[in-house]
């Protein structure tokens, strides 16, 4: 986003030094950026985040809601706290941020010279909005809920020229799934689920987000863009069916 010319606020919950490093690298390349600490599962934190954006940049045009966690457990061992925590961050957190964003878009008003849309919301879903995932009931439910939140918001807000879409990543090399790709054995197992033959990089998702945020995708409304190397194509069916 920074390379594409956006001023960026980097929200973090606990990893201040990574956030500050990213801000420094954006500034070194001539961009405007700052870091802000907010736990998106806490509505007051989200309100503070959007106040800070308004103060620094005068407003907000694009929100990429991408906070997500996993607390994996077999179904009967999953505690209520593990269930709730994942829903609070992965679903309610994205709802709260999106709501704050839409209120900001309305306050600011539309400047067609800036963008064809009044504002853009990009949710971060997952292939698991569609693919059931044993041992991850909380996560799969949060992501499938996010799909319907995205579609409902898109339908409701499109007449105001607010575009709401989602990116559904497959397996991307981040901390959330490190155990699934870090060792050669784990990575070989994971690759059986990815027809394209490589595990995704964060940049694969970032490029999709930049496109969804730009006027190049102005007619894309209420869509989920899968960035998954073909994980949604049921690769096991290559071997029979
Ligand atoms: C999960 C990852 C997983 C991927 C594909 C993502 O949403 O966070 O842990 O590797 O889906 O299953």
């Amino acid at each position: 986003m920074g390379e594409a010319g956006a001023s960026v606020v980097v929200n973090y919950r606990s990893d201040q030094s990574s956030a500050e490093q990213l801000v420094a690298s954006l500034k070194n390349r001539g961009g405007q950026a700052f870091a802000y600490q907010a736990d998106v599962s806490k509505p007051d934190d989200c309100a503070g985040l959007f106040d800070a954006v308004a103060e620094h940049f005068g407003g907000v045009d694009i929100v990429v809601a991408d906070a997500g966690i996993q607390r994996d457990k077999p179904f009967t061992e999953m505690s209520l706290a593990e269930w709730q925590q994942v829903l609070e961050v992965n679903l309610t957190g994205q709802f709260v941020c999106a709501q704050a964003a839409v209120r900001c878009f309305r306050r600011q008003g539309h400047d067609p010279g800036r963008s064809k849309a009044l504002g853009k919301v990009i949710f971060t879903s997952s292939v698991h909005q569609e693919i059931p995932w044993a041992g991850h009931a909380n996560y799969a439910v949060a992501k499938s809920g996010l799909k319907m939140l995205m579609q409902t918001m898109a339908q409701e807000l499109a007449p105001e020229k607010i575009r709401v879409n989602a990116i559904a990543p497959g397996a991307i090399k981040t901390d959330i799934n490190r155990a699934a790709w870090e060792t050669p054995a784990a990575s070989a197992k994971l690759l059986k689920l990815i027809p394209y033959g490589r595990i995704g990089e964060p940049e694969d998702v970032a490029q999709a987000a930049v496109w969804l945020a730009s006027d190049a995708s102005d007619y894309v409304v209420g869509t989920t863009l899968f960035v998954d190397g073909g994980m949604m194509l049921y690769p096991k069916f290559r071997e029979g069916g």
Side-chain angles (χ1 to χ4, degrees), residues 70 126-128 133 139 170-171 176-177 231:
Q70 287 181 216
S126 163
V127 290
H128 298 295
W133 202 13
Y139 188 85
I176 203 170
N177 58 356
M231 194 175 239

Side-chain angles (χ1 to χ4, degrees), residues 173-189:
K173 282 186 192 164
T174 67
D175 284 342
I176 203 170
N177 58 356
R178 185 170 285 282
W181 54 264
E182 199 161 44
T183 66
S187 144
K189 196 170 160 211

Side-chain angles (χ1 to χ4, degrees), residues 12-17 37-38:
Y12 66 95
R13 186 184 64 87
S14 55
D15 188 356
Q16 183 173 7
S17 82
Q37 195 281 331

